[in-house]
Amino acid sequence: MQQVTLNANGLSHPALKLGEGKRLALLLHGFPDTPRTWSRLMPRLAAQGYTCIAPFMRGYSQMNTPPELLEDSSATIQIADLAADAAALVDATGFKDALLIGHDWGAITAYAAANFAPEKFHTLVTLSVPHLGTFLGNLWKNPRQALQS
């Protein structure tokens, strides 16, 4: 695995890269994880012909933390910004679309990115966070889940 930096959506995004395949797999980590979350999956995807990119999500590195977050303790990172980052990262790699995989916070970002720029992602895989429509549609069936959520 090599460390790379991709310029996307106005920020420099440090990332892990593995493989030189003809297809792109963009892997988004959760909280409080890092791109190393994907260290066991990336070799398998690379062996299947993927170039794997696992970026540090916005705010997880000094390089991709917008200055206003450092200067203003009330500033926040918005899902729309993360979705735009994911779409721009596809462009930054030189691919036209990607397999998008997200876990936890990365899954929430992946859902938003697939809605924000559906042409950039041919396949979406999420772990740990169900689609909001499915979650809400089934919540009433299990009151215990409502309490735990």
Side-chain angles (χ1 to χ4, degrees):
M1 243 178 273
Q2 68 182 112
Q3 293 196 359
V4 297
T5 300
L6 299 166
N7 294 316
N9 201 21
L11 297 171
S12 295
H13 297 269
L16 297 179
K17 178 183 179 187
L18 184 67
E20 294 293 335
K22 294 183 179 181
R23 300 176 290 173
L24 175 64
L26 183 62
L27 301 102
L28 306 177
H29 65 80
F31 175 82
D33 301 327
T34 71
R36 295 253 177 240
T37 296
W38 305 110
S39 62
R40 294 179 70 190
L41 179 59
M42 288 172 74
R44 295 177 144 212
L45 290 169
Q48 296 297 314
Y50 284 94
T51 297
C52 301
I53 299 290
F56 280 88
M57 300 281 283
R58 178 185 285 239
Y60 280 74
S61 163
Q62 287 280 50
M63 290 176 71
N64 69 358
T65 300
E68 59 271 15
L69 286 176
L70 299 173
E71 298 163 3
D72 180 358
S73 63
S74 67
T76 61
I77 293 174
Q78 302 298 310
I79 295 292
D81 293 327
L82 295 170
D85 289 348
L89 283 164
V90 173
D91 293 334
T93 63
F95 286 87
K96 71 173 193 158
D97 61 14
L99 159 64
L100 180 59
I101 303 173
H103 170 255
D104 188 60
W105 187 238
I108 294 167
T109 300
Y111 287 126
N115 280 301
F116 174 75
E119 71 284 359
K120 299 286 182 195
F121 308 105
H122 60 76
T123 305
L124 173 64
V125 178
T126 60
L127 298 91
S128 232
V129 178
H131 186 274
L132 187 58
T134 300
F135 177 73
L136 293 175
N138 287 291
L139 195 58
W140 68 272
K141 296 176 186 176
N142 189 341
R144 186 172 171 208
Q145 180 65 54
L147 289 172
Q148 291 175 338
S149 296

